[in-house]
Amino acid sequence: MRSRSLTTGFLAAALLMLAVLAWLVMLVPSEDGVREWTESLNPGGWMAWTFPTALFFWVIAALLLAFTWLAIRSPETPRKGLLGIWTTRGDRLFISLLGSAFINLAWLGFGGTPAWGGLILSLIYAAAVFRWV
């Protein structure tokens, strides 16, 4: 019975996350039917929130929710990887996010535009961390 209520709770959380994503998409300003994805979601606000910035935080929240669900559904035992430290899925997620932040900052710092290159390198790095660390 506990498993069913837990699954129902995570399903409700997932639906809420989808509703938040839909709300964020609706906030994107449009001009002549064309969405301006990099325009401010809150013109004149204290922070220049754009859709890519909001999507970044939404993805991190979705990852935390998914990894929590995974940890409850199929607990894992830590494994010793390439770095010689014992890590779990959550540890590898943290290492991936931290490393990806530095990769993207370095990409921008060395003048790499567009930023898609940094994103692609970050995804390759995350795949490597989850495979070998």
Side-chain angles (χ1 to χ4, degrees), residues 67 79 88-90 92-93 96 125-133:
F67 274 66
R79 70 174 196 213
T88 62
R89 280 188 295 251
R92 290 187 291 277
L93 176 64
S96 296
Y125 169 74
V129 165
F130 273 89
R131 175 69 180 103
W132 292 302
V133 171

Side-chain angles (χ1 to χ4, degrees), residues 63-111:
L63 281 170
L64 291 173
L65 182 66
F67 274 66
T68 302
W69 180 76
L70 270 174
I72 293 170
R73 294 292 286 175
S74 62
E76 70 168 339
T77 56
R79 70 174 196 213
K80 195 172 191 177
L82 188 67
L83 295 177
I85 59 175
W86 294 93
T87 60
T88 62
R89 280 188 295 251
D91 298 330
R92 290 187 291 277
L93 176 64
F94 178 74
I95 292 168
S96 296
L97 290 174
L98 193 60
S100 295
F102 287 116
I103 289 169
N104 281 288
L105 285 173
W107 183 268
L108 291 174
F110 291 118

Side-chain angles (χ1 to χ4, degrees), residues 2 35 38 49 57 61 116-117 126:
R2 180 175 182 262
R35 292 202 183 270
T38 57
W49 280 96
F57 287 103
W116 292 109

Side-chain angles (χ1 to χ4, degrees), residues 14-28 35 37 41 51 55 58:
L15 290 174
L16 178 64
M17 289 294 291
L18 287 174
V20 168
L21 181 61
W23 175 67
L24 287 173
V25 170
M26 288 181 359
L27 283 178
V28 174
R35 292 202 183 270
W37 296 103
L41 297 178
F51 181 74
L55 184 63
W58 183 89

